[in-house]
Amino acid sequence: MSVGIQIEADVSDVAGAVPRRLFGSFVEHMGRAVYTGIFEPGHSTSDDRGFRGDVLGLVRELGPSVVRYPGGNFVSAHRWEDGVGPVDRRPVRLDPAWHSVESHRFGLHEFAAWAEAADVEVMYAVNLGTRGIQEAADVLEYCNHPGGTELSERRRANGADRPFGFQLWCLGNEMDGPWQIGHKTADEYGRLAAETARVMRMIDPGVELVVAGSSNQEMPTFGHWERTVLEHTAALVDHISLHAYYQEHDGDVASYLASAAALDGYVRTAAGIIDDVLVKAGLDKKIGISVDEWNVWDQRHWNDVEQHELIAGGWREHPPIIEDDYTVTDAVVVGSLLASLVRNVDRVTMANQAQLVNVIAPIRTEPGGGAWRQTTFHPFSLVSMLAKGNSLRLAVTGDTVHTGLHGRVDVVDAAATFDENGHCALFLTNRATESATEVRIRVRGARLTPYGTWTIAGHDRHLKNCVNTEPVRPVPLPGVTAEHDPEGTTITATLPPLSWTALRLASAVVRDA
Ligand code: AHR
């Protein structure tokens, strides 16, 4: 077999350090993400707080670093005060965003406690849809001020003596989207976000603020939105968000498998706008990109069917919403999207897979029943575990594939990391659907030996996992070789058709230590 792809890397040629926050996730009050997802009092595995132990176990195995909360579209009509104080006195309200009834049995304190149990950082979103500057200031004071004021003492009376100390705050959610409650023009949102950011910094100068960028790359306002919003806020914020969901259109698997190329382009375009605004404003600072909602999601089903069924079903508590069952192909695409995030660490400062449990999620549950890993669980857990140290710049040459939506792309999508202990990780997606592809990876500056291989592939690209059986899981990739020479290592591997692979290698000197 001929070599389909050659990849050149040098351990000293780095794109940037891989931030742990790249492996974030998201829990929204939506569908069964919270209720019967992470929280189910009375479940056989739940603790006395109602936190499902089977789910917590899977979350720890998945390895997210930061979890965004409480929305999403939900946050744009949410009153944070409803979710604090004695549970039996919390109001039951309509959640217009998801046509649901919200009981608030689970709220701010419960999430802070759950995040501690899951060992994740909290990323808290404020409502800039129906609410504004005052409420954002209030919830920050409630959470982060030590004591002695009405709001901070209320938190203490509600059981949290010490401040939560949340550092990461989102200034609203998807305010560019006409579907968003309180949707705004870029100027309206930019002004509101700037004034909200200003007072939040006065209250707690330690916060990191994320201003809302585009909901997706196809938004007619993409570009104009980022520029205008940043013209208002650049001096006051640390990150700008991008949201990105991908799906297979009409059986066009080639384009679907090239989704990472679209994400690369989205990030690079936004990065150019950030630089331009900063230069024009004379600001000597960096603004990171927070891809704080990304995933694969078949939105046609939501738009054409599910949304109508949800409304026809009437107002209910935690109805199931967008519980997509993921396939081998979805897992391969998720793996390549993670590789894109790793490649772009010079600009992407954090990212949150949307979402964590039940709602387009790597973890699924049955109410009162079991929990399981979807196919997409595996690339996330592997990249979160293996991508450490620096992301390496790669030069990729060789075969390409034509795609209807993204033009010609390399047949293999690749990312690589190398850490201070001499561990190297390679993430490789074979976009060829019918044939294996041989890759030759030349890594200069390290004498590497493979010591772990994981591949997700399968003769049936539509195969899924379900509650009682998880047939889709990574298996070792046979035949990976490493040849050493005075300057480095050449690794060869044969990637199965339509597959995602992680390779872990160690520098010999480190392995012997
Ligand atoms: O993650 C599901 C929804 O997708 C979120 O609530 C919203 O922000 C996005 O449109």
Side-chain angles (χ1 to χ4, degrees):
M1 185 189 308
S2 65
V3 177
I5 281 283
Q6 286 94 16
I7 299 171
E8 295 276 336
D10 187 316
V11 297
S12 61
D13 185 11
V14 306
V18 179
R20 283 307 299 157
R21 284 177 175 168
L22 210 58
F23 310 112
S25 191
F26 179 30
V27 168
E28 176 166 5
H29 280 255
M30 168 184 179
R32 299 193 308 111
V34 172
Y35 305 105
T36 72
I38 62 172
F39 177 72
E40 189 173 348
H43 187 271
S44 60
T45 70
S46 287
D47 63 15
D48 55 3
R49 299 168 294 185
F51 300 165
R52 272 185 74 150
D54 55 351
V55 173
L56 266 174
L58 288 176
V59 170
R60 291 191 193 106
E61 186 183 324
L62 184 72
S65 49
V66 49
V67 177
R68 186 167 175 252
Y69 176 85
N73 295 344
F74 168 79
V75 83
S76 293
H78 174 54
R79 301 169 226 212
W80 68 268
E81 310 90 316
D82 290 349
V84 304
V87 174
D88 55 2
R89 282 195 241 141
R90 294 186 193 169
V92 175
R93 291 194 197 277
L94 297 184
D95 161 23
W98 298 113
H99 199 79
S100 304
V101 171
E102 173 57 55
S103 68
H104 297 106
R105 280 194 299 274
F106 186 98
L108 185 44
H109 288 249
E110 290 77 16
F111 186 70
W114 181 87
E116 198 177 333
D119 195 20
V120 296
E121 181 182 6
V122 173
M123 180 184 203
Y124 191 85
V126 300
N127 173 358
L128 292 188
T130 59
R131 303 189 113 189
I133 305 168
Q134 186 62 62
E135 294 87 351
D138 287 351
V139 67
L140 175 61
E141 183 180 334
Y142 181 91
C143 290
N144 284 10
H145 192 69
T149 65
E150 190 276 323
L151 285 162
S152 55
E153 289 302 320
R154 203 191 312 171
R155 181 202 69 240
R156 296 183 67 208
N158 286 335
D161 190 39
R162 283 184 296 120
F164 295 129
F166 299 156
Q167 196 176 342
L168 271 176
W169 294 77
C170 300
L171 299 167
N173 176 71
E174 294 190 348
M175 301 310 300
D176 62 326
W179 59 86
Q180 197 68 211
I181 296 168
H183 161 59
K184 292 171 176 52
T185 65
D187 265 314
E188 287 166 348
Y189 171 66
R191 283 278 300 129
L192 176 59
E195 294 311 320
T196 306
R198 206 185 310 281
V199 72
M200 288 178 79
R201 288 205 178 289
M202 289 173 185
I203 290 170
D204 182 352
V207 291
E208 274 179 66
L209 300 176
V210 187
V211 72
S214 287
S215 300
N216 63 67
Q217 205 168 349
E218 280 71 46
M219 292 298 290
T221 48
F222 171 51
H224 165 76
W225 178 273
E226 280 69 15
R227 185 176 296 283
T228 308
V229 165
L230 284 174
E231 281 166 0
H232 287 287
T233 61
L236 294 156
V237 301
D238 305 286
H239 315 265
I240 182 164
S241 72
L242 294 179
H243 290 182
Y245 292 101
Y246 301 93
Q247 64 187 313
E248 186 172 326
H249 293 276
D250 303 322
D252 179 3
V253 66
S255 295
Y256 187 40
L257 290 169
S259 299
L263 180 56
D264 288 343
Y266 192 22
V267 166
R268 298 329 290 186
T269 306
I273 295 167
I274 295 169
D275 290 347
D276 198 39
V277 173
L278 288 174
V279 167
K280 285 187 177 136
L283 288 167
D284 182 18
K285 67 180 286 193
K286 287 197 186 323
I287 293 180
I289 294 175
S290 170
V291 187
D292 51 40
E293 285 188 32
W294 70 267
N295 207 347
V296 295
W297 172 11
D298 185 355
Q299 295 196 39
R300 289 163 311 173
H301 188 249
W302 163 247
N303 290 329
D304 300 346
V305 183
E306 230 192 310
Q307 196 171 165
H308 308 290
E309 287 176 356
L310 177 67
I311 291 167
W315 293 96
R316 289 171 287 159
E317 282 191 46
H318 50 80
I321 305 177
I322 56 172
E323 298 195 359
D324 287 20
D325 295 321
Y326 289 124
T327 64
V328 167
T329 314
D330 296 321
V332 169
V333 174
V334 163
S336 67
L337 293 171
L338 285 157
S340 168
L341 295 171
V342 169
R343 266 196 298 277
N344 286 292
V345 289
D346 56 330
R347 308 311 301 240
V348 178
T349 38
M350 68 191 127
N352 304 66
Q353 191 181 36
Q355 299 190 8
L356 182 62
V357 185
N358 288 329
V359 176
I360 46 172
I363 298 170
R364 289 280 297 280
T365 68
E366 284 197 333
W372 70 99
R373 299 167 197 81
Q374 293 236 61
T375 61
T376 53
F377 182 100
H378 298 290
F380 190 104
S381 67
L382 283 164
V383 182
S384 171
M385 176 175 73
L386 299 175
K388 301 266 166 64
N390 289 319
S391 172
L392 303 182
R393 271 188 243 277
L394 303 181
V396 180
T397 51
D399 294 349
T400 57
V401 284
H402 173 74
T403 73
L405 293 179
H406 314 299
R408 276 209 166 270
V409 296
D410 295 322
V411 70
V412 170
D413 174 274
T417 60
F418 188 78
D419 74 15
E420 63 201 24
N421 298 316
H423 295 107
C424 179
L426 294 164
F427 306 107
L428 305 163
T429 302
N430 185 11
R431 291 170 167 144
T433 53
E434 301 298 332
S435 54
T437 302
E438 190 181 327
V439 284
R440 184 171 295 167
I441 307 135
R442 170 99 182 110
V443 182
R444 286 179 196 279
R447 205 178 152 78
L448 298 168
T449 307
Y451 75 106
T453 65
W454 298 263
T455 293
I456 297 173
H459 51 89
D460 177 3
R461 77 175 187 93
H462 300 290
L463 196 63
K464 300 169 179 173
N465 291 345
C466 62
V467 63
N468 292 321
T469 164
E470 297 182 22
V472 183
R473 59 180 64 214
V475 295
L477 182 69
V480 177
T481 64
E483 274 178 45
H484 300 135
D485 63 62
E487 285 173 20
T489 309
T490 301
I491 302 136
T492 55
T494 302
L495 307 176
L498 201 158
S499 63
W500 180 84
T501 296
L503 304 179
R504 179 194 243 176
L505 306 104
S507 302
V509 63
V510 171
R511 284 201 336 131
D512 295 344

